[in-house]
Amino acid sequence: MQEIILTTFNNKKKLYPPLILIFSVTCFFASQVYELEQIHLLFVPFTLYIFFTGHRYTLSNKFKTANSIDFFIKKEGEHLIIENSLLIKGQQVGIKCARISIVTIKDNYLSIIVDGNGNGYDFYPIADKDQIKHRIISLLGKEQVNNICFNIV
């Protein structure tokens, strides 16, 4: 018997301009407009490499998964735990849910005011305002959500 193996092929490829084209256009632009010396042009390839490597990393699935809102905001017992990301181990902040009085949400921004006195915490998750609000509401109980003033900016 022959074993049939089914595979799916994904022909979609991300198109990145060739680095030599980017380098040559940048060098030409820099030399003509800014009249830079050749020694300054030696730093252009390093700058381009660092920029495009960082940009490609932020587009990777590893970066998106580690910085998703599900990993950023968690609930343990009566505390809301907010952590930077899984890629860069940062400090966790635990906030007692009963103390939360005002939550301000914008795209890539979360502010939590405790005890209604204006003191609180600012966080910068990588998510839009609807994702952040949905995550907080899903973690907190109905009674706790009713006691919190949500400001969506």
Side-chain angles (χ1 to χ4, degrees):
M1 286 217 167
Q2 289 183 337
E3 187 175 315
I4 299 175
I5 299 174
L6 298 175
T7 59
T8 58
F9 295 99
N10 186 358
N11 291 329
K12 296 179 183 177
K13 294 181 180 178
K14 292 182 182 179
L15 298 176
Y16 294 107
L19 288 179
I20 191 69
L21 176 66
I22 294 170
F23 174 68
S24 59
V25 169
T26 305
C27 287
F28 176 76
F29 178 75
S31 65
Q32 295 300 314
V33 174
Y34 296 110
E35 298 177 0
L36 295 176
E37 297 175 16
Q38 288 182 352
I39 191 72
H40 291 131
L41 292 178
L42 291 176
F43 295 108
V44 173
F46 300 114
T47 305
L48 288 174
Y49 175 76
I50 290 169
F51 172 76
F52 284 109
T53 302
H55 182 65
R56 277 186 48 200
Y57 179 69
T58 60
L59 296 175
S60 70
N61 287 334
K62 182 179 179 182
F63 180 83
K64 290 178 183 176
T65 302
N67 290 293
S68 73
I69 196 70
D70 296 333
F71 292 114
F72 191 80
I73 303 172
K74 302 173 190 172
K75 185 175 180 187
E76 293 178 5
E78 295 183 18
H79 287 84
L80 205 60
I81 306 296
I82 301 176
E83 185 174 338
N84 277 342
S85 73
L86 295 179
L87 296 178
I88 303 171
K89 295 293 183 186
Q91 292 182 340
Q92 292 183 5
V93 175
I95 304 169
K96 192 168 183 177
C97 295
R99 294 184 60 197
I100 299 173
S101 59
I102 301 172
V103 174
T104 303
I105 301 171
K106 295 192 300 188
D107 288 341
N108 302 319
Y109 177 77
L110 170 65
S111 172
I112 298 177
I113 306 297
V114 294
D115 298 331
N117 60 9
N119 294 328
Y121 305 93
D122 292 327
F123 304 101
Y124 300 94
I126 301 174
D128 64 5
K129 57 187 170 190
D130 295 329
Q131 291 174 329
I132 298 169
K133 181 180 179 183
H134 176 70
R135 180 66 180 169
I136 291 175
I137 289 174
S138 67
L139 291 175
L140 299 176
K142 191 173 189 179
E143 183 179 313
Q144 291 172 335
V145 170
N146 292 336
N147 294 332
I148 299 174
C149 176
F150 283 92
N151 298 325
I152 309 297
V153 181

